[in-house]
Amino acid sequence: MDDIEELEKHFINRSNWLRAAVLGANDGILSTASIAIGVAAASDIRDQIVLASLAGLVAGALSMAAGEYVSVSSQTDVENADIEREKEELEQMPEVELKELAKIYERRGVKKETALEVAKQLTEHNALEAHMIDELGINEISQAKPLQAAFVSGASFTFGGLLPFLVSYFLPVKQMIFYQYGFAILFLVILGGLSAKIGGAPIWKAISRITFWGTVAMGLTALIGYLFNINVN
């Protein structure tokens, strides 16, 4: 029994909150570091860099949490509407729904007689659950959770943004752009490695992906600061 449990160890049940956490932390690091880099490219005064970083951190965390809540709530609304329609169809035309369920199993390779028998048994057990999973593709793991997504995204953005904020607060202003870039890449490498480890994915692939796009984002932000050369002193 222990061997079977070990073989069946999967990570898909972490996908919802892990996606929100990685997205939030990645955005927090990149957004805050990019803001600090952009301001540092046009100013050598620490207070202005710190203030811009703090404003970006607070606004970004609130925006991330609100955005996740709204978007995932929209997904929940769609799922609930589909479930309600399925309930009505099961009440009004159960035989048609039974055949529809059997057809789904047939398309997966189950013999016609067996597919019908499986559909009957699952319908007797819990008809709505069977149609939610096999017809609509909705299950406990994939079902949208707005509050969870909002909290995880907001908290992870705050944590991610706090790191470059501390860099802007404590490290020398003269080389702030290089410090921000170097530490942001370090933070992104750690984030990519941790997220891949938690999700059971290839670590180096996650690290290379997250650092490449992070470099692009911060490089473009620094370029804009230099091109406009706005004096914010």
Side-chain angles (χ1 to χ4, degrees), residues 82-155:
D82 278 345
I83 291 171
E84 287 302 316
R85 278 193 293 270
E86 201 61 38
K87 285 181 181 178
E88 292 178 6
E89 290 172 358
L90 284 169
E91 291 175 0
Q92 296 171 4
M93 41 186 178
E95 290 300 321
V96 174
E97 288 296 302
L98 178 64
K99 291 177 181 178
E100 185 178 26
L101 195 60
K103 284 291 183 184
I104 292 172
Y105 302 137
E106 281 186 60
R107 287 195 293 269
R108 292 182 186 174
V110 180
K111 291 182 180 180
K112 186 174 182 178
E113 297 78 10
T114 306
L116 183 59
E117 182 59 31
V118 171
K120 286 180 179 178
Q121 290 187 27
L122 289 175
T123 298
E124 290 173 3
H125 174 70
N126 190 325
L128 181 60
E129 181 184 68
H131 283 271
M132 281 176 58
I133 294 173
D134 294 316
E135 183 182 349
L136 303 179
I138 300 172
N139 56 50
E140 186 178 348
I141 294 173
S142 66
Q143 200 161 18
K145 300 177 180 66
L147 287 176
Q148 181 194 65
F151 175 78
V152 172
S153 293

